[in-house]
Amino acid sequence: MTLTRRMFALGTASTLLTAEAAAQVAARALIPFGSAVMISDFRSDAALRDQLARLCDVIVPMNELKWQSLRPNAESFSFKDADEIIQFARRNRKAIHGHTLLWGDFLPDWARQINSAREAERVLVTHIETVAAKYAGVVSSWDVVNEVIAHEPTADKPFRDSVWFRQLGPRLVDLAFQTAARVDPSARLVLNDYDFENPDERTAERRRQALRLVRHLQDRKIPVHEVGLQAHLYGEKPLDARGITAFCRELGRLGVGVRVTELDVIDWKMPGPAAQRDKLIGELTTAFLAAVIEGQRPQAIITWGLSDRSSWIHDVFKRQDGLRARPLPLDEAYRPKPMMAAIEAARRLP
Ligand code: 9MR
């Protein structure tokens, strides 16, 4: 093991570190790695559970904390699926990242039909109060709002359309963060969104809108601790490394962290041969994570699934040649791919 300056400083500040304590310090210095997992895979696949236990510091219930899972109707909550994953994470001493307290998509029908501002506020606040209170001290960070920035934002239409936005307007973001902060002041509160990575004007505007939202919350003294970069990277698109770095750096200047929340690579337009594709995916992962870390060290690097066995990309981005997608760090037999090595190397960057 190499001794870092920090370990020497710790050694002289107290007594010399034991080898075990020094190893712990070194382990803590790694950027935490995590993965999302959905309940059906979690239940049916013991090998997946083993890999989650072995590799992850952070676990995210992929769908089980969403309204579609928690809220079968307006009156009740069903926590069973979320609790099963969360109990596993706790037993294995993993951090739990919560996804998500507010999203305009994949809502149950009853929520879509809300048709007054009063009702929207009541339902939203009650939901966040109930869920954040139940998991206070257990879920250490929350995607408080997911995908509230318009797909193609403009100065006069920065927000994505949703039942919440139609009824509450821009204050939906204030309300969500305020409520989460009131109920669980210890949780890290994250503004989570996608498409921050490409060198085009739409992406640049999305980053500006995220910064604008962060400053807006800060002006109102509403806590916002991190911006979540979903990072569903497109294998065929160039990466705006400078733009990503500048964005993360600017957030750092505002005292706001970043977290890579849903990393995977959409490979529908990438070369077919597996070895070639895996190599390119590894390189893209390296370039992306280096750009983030250059701007600031992320709070965690979380992938949207662990193995190619299960990913939303199989359904949404089908390849023309009929080959299976390979978007994640482990292959279908749970062997690490170059993407895993890229993440491991990035976690060690200073
Ligand atoms: O991977 C998720 C998939 O299993 C769900 O059916 C879908 C709808 O709930 O959501 C997928 O995850 C999305 C995440 O919640 C938000 N960012 C985009 C993700 C991929 O669509």
Side-chain angles (χ1 to χ4, degrees), residues 62-63 66 68 99 103 106 147 230 232 262 304 312:
M62 184 180 278
N63 297 318
K66 292 173 180 173
Q68 62 181 119
H99 175 81
W103 190 11
F106 296 96
E147 300 177 16
Q230 289 188 2
H232 298 293
E262 305 183 13
W304 207 236
W312 68 293

Side-chain angles (χ1 to χ4, degrees), residues 148-151 153-160 165 209 212:
V148 292
I149 299 170
H151 181 70
T154 57
D156 51 337
K157 276 197 93 183
F159 287 95
R160 199 179 175 89
F165 183 71
Q209 288 300 341
R212 197 186 56 79

Side-chain angles (χ1 to χ4, degrees), residues 36 38 41 61-64 66 68-69 99-100 103 105-107 143 146-147 192-194 230 232 261-262 264 304-305 310-313 315-317:
M38 66 164 91
D41 296 339
M62 184 180 278
N63 297 318
E64 296 67 21
K66 292 173 180 173
Q68 62 181 119
S69 309
H99 175 81
T100 168
W103 190 11
D105 280 329
F106 296 96
L107 285 171
D143 290 334
N146 184 51
E147 300 177 16
N192 194 46
D193 224 306
Y194 68 98
Q230 289 188 2
H232 298 293
T261 50
E262 305 183 13
D264 52 21
W304 207 236
S310 174
S311 163
W312 68 293
I313 291 172
D315 307 320
V316 180
F317 295 95

Side-chain angles (χ1 to χ4, degrees), residues 241 244-246 248-249 288-298 349-350:
I244 294 167
T245 300
C248 295
R249 188 170 288 149
F288 168 70
L289 292 175
V292 171
I293 293 166
E294 178 79 22
Q296 68 161 288
R297 227 176 124 77
L349 288 179

